[in-house]
Amino acid sequence: MKLERFKFGDIIENGWASPDNPMRKCIFIRHSKKTIEVTDGKGQFWEIYHDKENRNKKIGTIFENPDLLEAAE
């Protein structure tokens, strides 16, 4: 499976997190070697494992779909 490359501001659904995990939907910041750095948009930052298994997927962008993050709360 091809590694998906995200852009700053993409809203990511973390495939490694369970559906009731508050860190499941987040905003992409940057790529690292085998992780991506993300934020919740409220000051919390963390890294998510991201490799060719590719469980993370883009569900929108913060610029076009900011309501996607609100639905996660």
Side-chain angles (χ1 to χ4, degrees):
M1 189 181 274
K2 186 179 177 186
L3 183 64
E4 186 172 358
R5 298 291 293 183
F6 302 117
K7 296 178 185 170
F8 181 82
D10 285 347
I11 299 175
I12 307 299
E13 185 174 74
N14 179 357
W16 301 99
S18 67
D20 58 334
N21 187 331
M23 295 180 171
R24 185 163 173 93
K25 291 185 182 173
C26 50
I27 304 168
F28 173 78
I29 298 174
R30 67 181 179 143
H31 288 274
S32 295
K33 190 165 187 163
K34 288 200 177 215
T35 62
I36 55 175
E37 189 174 333
V38 295
T39 182
D40 62 357
K42 299 175 185 169
Q44 188 174 12
F45 297 86
W46 64 95
E47 289 185 347
I48 300 172
Y49 187 70
H50 187 67
D51 70 350
K52 291 184 181 181
E53 191 173 324
N54 202 17
R55 288 191 184 181
N56 306 310
K57 64 181 178 182
K58 176 183 172 181
I59 58 173
T61 70
I62 194 66
F63 308 111
E64 297 171 3
N65 314 94
D67 55 314
L68 287 174
L69 285 176
E70 300 304 320
E73 294 178 357

